[in-house]
Amino acid sequence: EERIARTWGTTAPGLPYVEEAITNAGDWLIGGDLEVIEPIEYNDGLDQYRLSPAQLREEFARRNADAVFAFQLRNPVHNGHALLMTDTRKRLLEMGYKNPVLPLHPLGGFTKADDVPLSWRMKQHEKVLEEGVLNPESTVVAIFPSPMHYAGPTEAQWHAKARINAGANFYIVGRDPAGMSHPTEKRDLYDADHGKKVLSMAPGLERLNILPFKVAAYDTKQKKMDFFDPSRKDDFLFISGTKMRTLAKNRESPPDGFMCPGGWKVLVEYYDSLVPSEGSSKLREPIAA
């Protein structure tokens, strides 16, 4: 109960990771120092992407990176995400850095059943690089093996500190990072701006330069994802994760310029894989990763 309260700020029933990993474990918690003898292998075809923090730092040094900027990811990359990342690199170049490098570092542990599984996200990320939405020369793809706790400000600190260990010195913080709806009430569990507030004052993050999220939306006039301009707010369309998933499930296309075509095709194929096979009337349900 104390661990749950300290991590999530509530003991309300229905917290996804709590139900997955803590409640059913009874009264047992194990902690202490760990010594890893050999790298952990998952044998799922993705182990080449599971780079340790030391391996990531070596890769950044090999690429002669003079700035490393990270962005927490657990969803497919649409062009709004890509805009944030490419704009950050542009800003760092304007600040005088010569070779800023992005670790594209998708979360690889437990996620809720309605999130897209890691294997499909990795296929989607490959298309994002293949189609030039992100530059492969300045992007390192690696899996961040943490589970997703959906623990709001506590987890935002963990995500940031873990990226420091991996060599990042700049961190893009978004709106409501690691947030979720309240499990029993019709409201958000955390304040939408908790990320930038907490990361600006949390101990141990002094070495990390926090870059506040600029809101991106679909510009219906330019037919592309762009930074939101309040002076012409009626020209912008906000496409939520729920809306994106609904479009993909229904095999509907998003507006041109929302996501690279190959990446969207992967997303549609994932939801197609949940459709019942011939002779079966039962819809396959997504399961937690």
Side-chain angles (χ1 to χ4, degrees):
E1 184 178 17
E2 181 186 358
R3 179 187 170 189
I4 294 166
R6 286 180 181 274
T7 303
W8 283 268
T10 180
T11 55
L15 298 166
Y17 186 78
V18 171
E19 294 198 336
E20 170 73 17
I22 299 178
T23 304
N24 295 331
D27 293 333
W28 301 97
L29 287 173
I30 299 174
D33 294 336
L34 296 177
E35 183 175 351
V36 180
I37 308 302
E38 294 179 0
I40 297 166
E41 294 184 357
Y42 290 69
N43 298 312
D44 59 355
L46 299 174
D47 281 331
Q48 72 271 25
Y49 293 111
R50 291 187 173 91
L51 304 180
S52 70
Q55 288 173 314
L56 280 168
R57 291 194 300 270
E58 288 169 7
E59 179 62 21
F60 299 143
R62 189 186 71 78
R63 296 192 186 209
N64 296 314
D66 58 354
V68 176
F69 60 103
F71 177 54
Q72 163 64 22
L73 271 176
R74 78 166 196 270
N75 290 310
V77 175
H78 58 61
N79 289 352
H81 297 138
L83 176 64
L84 282 166
M85 293 182 261
T86 54
D87 182 70
T88 298
R89 189 171 196 274
K90 178 184 171 188
R91 287 162 62 192
L92 291 170
L93 289 168
E94 289 169 353
M95 289 165 62
Y97 292 98
K98 303 299 183 188
N99 187 29
V101 171
L102 164 73
L104 188 65
H105 211 198
L107 184 134
F110 164 84
T111 56
K112 294 193 283 124
D114 59 354
D115 280 337
V116 177
L118 175 66
S119 60
W120 289 93
R121 282 184 278 128
M122 293 302 289
K123 290 177 188 177
Q124 195 268 350
H125 296 350
E126 286 173 10
K127 294 298 181 185
V128 167
L129 291 168
E130 279 178 20
E131 297 184 24
V133 178
L134 292 175
N135 183 355
E137 296 298 315
S138 58
T139 306
V140 176
V141 182
I143 293 170
F144 177 42
S146 175
M148 189 71 199
H149 299 85
Y150 307 93
T154 310
E155 188 160 27
Q157 292 175 67
W158 157 238
H159 287 164
K161 288 184 179 182
R163 274 32 182 258
I164 292 176
N165 292 342
N169 50 0
F170 290 88
Y171 188 72
I172 308 167
V173 59
R175 185 182 179 280
D176 197 22
M180 61 171 285
S181 298
H182 194 283
T184 60
E185 300 174 18
K186 289 188 176 181
R187 60 180 177 88
D188 289 336
L189 184 53
Y190 305 110
D191 181 88
D193 289 328
H194 67 251
K196 61 186 178 185
K197 289 177 183 173
V198 168
L199 296 185
S200 65
M201 65 179 75
L205 292 177
E206 298 83 4
R207 288 175 292 155
L208 196 62
N209 298 285
I210 305 300
L211 302 172
F213 196 103
K214 290 203 279 185
V215 177
Y218 186 76
D219 187 332
T220 58
K221 288 280 193 278
Q222 298 189 66
K223 298 194 181 305
K224 67 175 187 175
M225 297 296 287
D226 204 351
F227 294 121
F228 178 67
D229 182 353
S231 67
R232 52 186 190 91
K233 60 183 180 183
D234 293 339
D235 293 342
F236 286 87
L237 179 64
F238 287 90
I239 302 174
S240 66
T242 301
K243 175 67 173 174
M244 180 181 73
R245 288 190 288 269
T246 302
L247 289 171
K249 285 176 186 175
N250 295 335
R251 299 181 64 86
E252 296 177 34
S253 296
D256 286 344
F258 172 73
M259 184 183 288
C260 65
W264 185 256
K265 185 181 177 187
V266 169
L267 207 53
V268 171
E269 286 173 356
Y270 163 62
Y271 286 108
D272 278 354
S273 75
L274 302 177
V275 173
S277 57
E278 280 188 43
S280 170
S281 60
K282 184 171 170 44
L283 182 68
R284 289 181 58 198
E285 290 292 328
I287 58 172

